[in-house]
Amino acid sequence: MTDWKLIAAARGLGIPDAEMEKIVPVMDALEAGFRPLAAGIPPAVEPAVIFSCAPEEDER
Amino acid sequence: MTILEAARALRAKQVSSTELVSTALERIAALQPKLNAFITVMADSARAAARRADEELARGLDRGPLHGVPVAVKDVFATKGVRTTCGSKVFADHVPDHDAAVVEKLAAAGAVLVGKTNQHELAYGITSNNPHFGAVRNPCDVERIPGGSSGGSGAAVASDMVFMAMGSDTGGSIRIPASFCGTVGLKPTFGRVSRYGVMPLDFSLDHMGPLTRSVRDAAVVLNALAGFDPRDDTSSRQPVEDYVPGEDVSIRGLRIGLPENFYFDRVDPEAAAAVRRAAETAQSLGARIVPVRVPDMAAMNAVGRIIVQAEASAVMEPYLGEREKFGADVRALLDQGRLLAATDYIHAQRLRRLMKQQFAALWKQADCLFTPTTPTAAPRIGKLTIEIDGAVEDVRLATTRLVRAINVLGVPALSMPCGLDRQGLPLSLQIIGPPFREALILRVAAVVEAAVRS
């Protein structure tokens, strides 16, 4: 499992220990549900986010 | 009285906009201490707008059924010169210099904005127990949450303060308060209603829509709001329709999918039974009930949570230096988002594409789906867990369980009352449709509503 406390400390997020204690089990549960899904994505699948090259209002 | 009834009364000169708005303001003043549904009341500008509406209608300038009707918007919608707090201490003094597209369109339709509704802080939660502006209370039982995040909008409509209040929905935030307060709530297709000028929670999951007293009223509002907006990158050019169902519409021959998996698991038996009764009603009116198996909605919920957390934390990270300005629950969610890896977010958006394809296959079997909106009626304020069928579950996760995935898919969904539980609390039906088929789900909802009310 991921060491969330280590990540928070390494990134300097400044999350107090008492709050981190509550976050860790939530993140563990989310990771357990999500990581197996992510492992099965075919390589060619692109993300469903939108980017357009068309000039935006303030660029016109 | 509904929007359409008020519109008829205005044109028959049985009532004026000034009278409707005065009544709304009086009711807000009377109920605000009990329900706390509003953050800002705009009495002076509302009275002036009402006088303008009366003058326009008197000289034959008719902007349609919303003309002269008092409405409210959630405090995430930018209002020029009027503070827009997003229910947050961070934005407590934020006064925009522009109106949100939704506010512009409501004004163009002649609606009279009477105020900005209270909500869950930053629209990031489902209780509307706001640490900065106070808890919103459910008009059906003031000891219970109204749902959220658009809780003030739900309470304001359910208590007859206004005819319509706008909400935003990132993981159920229109449909949940509609369910708990006993109103109609419509989350249109992603891109159908402009997000311009709305404080974002999540760029790719936020949807804007109305909470109303009737299905046709929701359709009236969608008529005023739908359409392409070049200021919103995700706005759709898909043509708009007349969304208001005619008086003689039918659902004969329509295929209503009733999920065999997921949607009736861990649902309060009374809530499940109410939805099944609504399906039987639809069947008695000529619709065909089709058992369907839905894809892995729990996986979609996990994907939705990753996207919500990553995007919301990106939006709010600059403000997290002052941690004390956030409520404990929202701060925890924002911290969780900051712990995710970039690859988690990208994977979630890739899975979203795959899941959209899987779900689209359902529309070959059914024209729309009937499900519960929430697994229970409104929980009590302050309750952190609920027990459903013997299993104890976190209130937020349980309450969003049947609605969050629909934001991941971006398809339209409507919540409407379909009965009361033994305690007299509203139970609700969620109707989910294919992309841009709002007219279809509104038609089905209008037929069911008429049957349930009769």
Side-chain angles (χ1 to χ4, degrees):
Chain A
M1 294 298 268
T2 302
D3 189 335
W4 303 108
K5 289 180 186 173
L6 204 59
I7 290 176
R11 290 192 191 157
L13 298 184
I15 305 173
D17 290 346
E19 293 182 31
M20 203 61 215
E21 289 301 328
K22 292 180 188 165
I23 287 172
V24 166
V26 179
M27 294 304 292
D28 283 344
L30 188 58
E31 181 179 50
F34 180 72
R35 287 277 153 75
L37 299 170
I41 308 172
V45 176
E46 297 197 359
V49 288
I50 293 168
F51 172 75
S52 167
C53 272
E56 295 180 25
E57 204 163 283
D58 54 1
E59 296 170 336
R60 287 181 192 122
Chain B
M1 191 186 270
T2 66
I3 291 172
L4 286 171
E5 287 164 354
R8 280 193 287 274
L10 278 164
R11 280 146 194 83
K13 298 190 172 28
Q14 293 162 339
V15 70
S16 68
S17 174
T18 302
E19 288 167 333
L20 289 176
V21 168
S22 290
T23 304
L25 292 171
E26 284 163 18
R27 199 156 171 80
I28 291 168
L31 293 177
Q32 177 68 4
K34 186 173 153 196
L35 301 178
N36 197 27
F38 280 81
I39 288 178
T40 301
V41 179
M42 300 156 63
D44 292 342
S45 62
R47 287 196 180 96
R51 282 194 297 274
R52 261 196 318 276
D54 284 332
E55 287 161 16
E56 288 179 348
L57 285 166
R59 62 183 157 90
L61 174 55
D62 191 334
R63 297 177 187 272
L66 283 166
H67 201 167
V69 171
V71 302
V73 296
K74 183 179 181 178
D75 211 17
V76 292
F77 291 89
T79 40
K80 187 178 178 180
V82 178
R83 73 169 180 163
T84 300
T85 68
C86 207
S88 161
K89 199 170 184 178
V90 173
F91 303 107
D93 301 315
H94 171 57
V95 179
D97 60 3
H98 63 285
D99 281 330
V102 159
V103 174
E104 287 175 350
K105 287 197 166 195
L106 288 172
V112 178
L113 184 59
V114 299
K116 317 274 307 278
T117 55
N118 200 351
Q119 57 173 86
H120 201 101
E121 179 183 12
L122 293 174
Y124 206 177
I126 58 90
T127 65
S128 299
N129 194 353
N130 189 304
H132 316 298
F133 297 95
V136 185
R137 292 176 178 272
N138 192 322
C140 305
D141 177 348
V142 293
E143 297 306 318
R144 293 176 187 272
I145 63 169
S149 60
S150 313
S153 293
V157 171
S159 62
D160 292 343
M161 292 178 177
V162 288
F163 289 81
M164 184 283 291
M166 285 297 300
S168 62
D169 189 320
T170 304
S173 286
I174 290 170
R175 290 159 288 157
I176 293 165
S179 172
F180 287 169
C181 293
T183 75
V184 172
L186 173 65
K187 183 200 81 65
T189 309
F190 190 69
R192 181 73 301 173
V193 173
S194 174
R195 296 180 301 118
Y196 172 76
V198 180
M199 175 66 73
L201 175 62
D202 283 77
F203 308 109
S204 70
L205 294 173
D206 291 347
H207 299 63
M208 310 303 140
L211 290 95
T212 56
R213 296 178 196 161
S214 79
V215 171
R216 280 190 173 77
D217 279 2
V220 163
V221 177
L222 187 60
N223 269 1
L225 301 183
F228 175 68
D229 182 353
R231 298 169 297 181
D232 174 359
D233 273 352
T234 58
S235 183
S236 171
R237 291 181 185 273
Q238 187 82 11
V240 297
E241 310 170 50
D242 180 359
Y243 296 101
V244 182
E247 291 300 328
D248 55 350
V249 287
S250 161
I251 55 171
R252 191 159 293 282
L254 212 72
R255 300 166 304 165
I256 292 172
L258 206 57
E260 292 180 319
N261 60 324
F262 185 77
Y263 276 103
F264 291 89
D265 301 342
R266 283 185 292 141
V267 170
D268 177 81
E270 283 189 279
V275 172
R276 293 190 191 284
R277 277 197 303 276
E280 285 162 14
T281 300
Q283 190 171 29
S284 73
L285 296 165
R288 197 148 55 86
I289 304 302
V290 184
V292 294
R293 290 197 70 78
V294 295
D296 189 346
M297 306 306 285
M300 285 190 214
N301 281 340
V303 164
R305 285 178 63 199
I306 297 281
I307 295 171
V308 166
Q309 292 189 347
E311 293 188 5
S313 296
V315 172
M316 295 311 301
E317 191 161 48
Y319 306 100
L320 274 167
E322 295 178 282
R323 296 176 63 81
E324 70 285 356
K325 285 195 172 178
F326 296 86
D329 62 330
V330 168
R331 194 168 60 224
L333 288 169
L334 292 171
D335 283 337
Q336 288 165 29
R338 295 197 295 167
L339 290 167
L340 294 170
T343 45
D344 292 331
Y345 177 72
I346 299 292
H347 286 326
Q349 290 286 13
R350 295 171 77 206
L351 284 162
R352 187 181 190 185
R353 185 178 292 275
L354 292 175
M355 290 168 169
K356 181 183 148 207
Q357 291 162 2
Q358 290 166 9
F359 200 81
L362 265 183
W363 306 126
K364 291 177 184 151
Q365 303 166 55
D367 297 301
C368 64
L369 301 182
F370 273 24
T371 77
T373 306
T374 51
T376 66
R380 290 190 181 281
I381 292 173
K383 214 158 185 245
L384 299 177
T385 57
I386 43 176
E387 190 178 327
I388 309 168
D389 257 355
V392 176
E393 205 171 347
D394 173 89
V395 165
R396 186 176 67 87
L397 294 180
T399 301
T400 55
R401 179 155 40 84
L402 308 179
V403 285
R404 184 186 294 287
I406 304 308
N407 296 65
V408 174
L409 298 164
V411 297
L414 176 143
S415 180
M416 60 181 289
C418 66
L420 300 173
D421 71 3
R422 251 174 262 151
Q423 298 172 88
L425 297 170
L427 301 169
S428 59
L429 163 69
Q430 178 174 228
I431 306 177
I432 304 164
F436 298 102
R437 297 300 304 278
E438 284 86 355
L440 171 84
I441 61 175
L442 285 160
R443 172 160 62 100
V444 176
V447 169
V448 172
E449 180 183 61
V452 168
R453 283 188 178 172
S454 67

